Amino acid sequence: MTPEDIRALRTELGITQQQFASLLDVSFVSVNRWENGHAEPMGGNRATLSLLSDALALTAPSIVRSRLHEADGDGAAILRVLVALGPRTLP
């Protein structure tokens, strides 16, 4: 995911870098570095951003933002929200 992709996700949600960091349970500095190309999200953060992208492709940003806010920075709850909002796969 490019810095532009990450910035686009955040701006589609209509939130600041600090709010984005809080929703994803990472530091403001991490989000800032991702968006400026000085660092890349790794591991779980990369997966979370991918799930967020999928959720936004299918669900209105205001709904995604509201559901993430309800997760209150809890990493497991954030993942549950994003999986629930993301694409469904058939068995």
Side-chain angles (χ1 to χ4, degrees):
M1 185 166 283
T2 68
E4 292 79 16
D5 294 336
I6 295 168
R7 184 176 295 112
L9 288 175
R10 180 181 60 76
T11 57
E12 187 170 355
L13 287 170
I15 58 178
T16 66
Q17 287 182 341
Q18 182 62 54
Q19 291 167 321
F20 195 54
S22 294
L23 285 176
L24 297 176
D25 195 27
V26 298
S27 71
F28 162 80
V29 172
S30 291
V31 171
N32 186 273
R33 290 177 55 82
W34 296 344
E35 288 191 8
N36 289 309
H38 298 292
E40 292 184 21
M42 301 303 242
N45 292 328
R46 181 177 294 199
T48 300
L49 289 170
S50 179
L51 288 169
L52 177 57
S53 178
D54 291 346
L56 284 169
L58 299 169
T59 308
S62 60
I63 293 171
V64 174
R65 184 176 53 245
S66 174
R67 298 273 174 85
L68 287 174
H69 183 70
E70 292 169 6
D72 198 30
D74 175 354
I78 289 168
L79 289 177
R80 284 192 300 273
V81 166
L82 294 176
V83 167
L85 292 173
R88 306 291 187 265
T89 56
L90 298 174

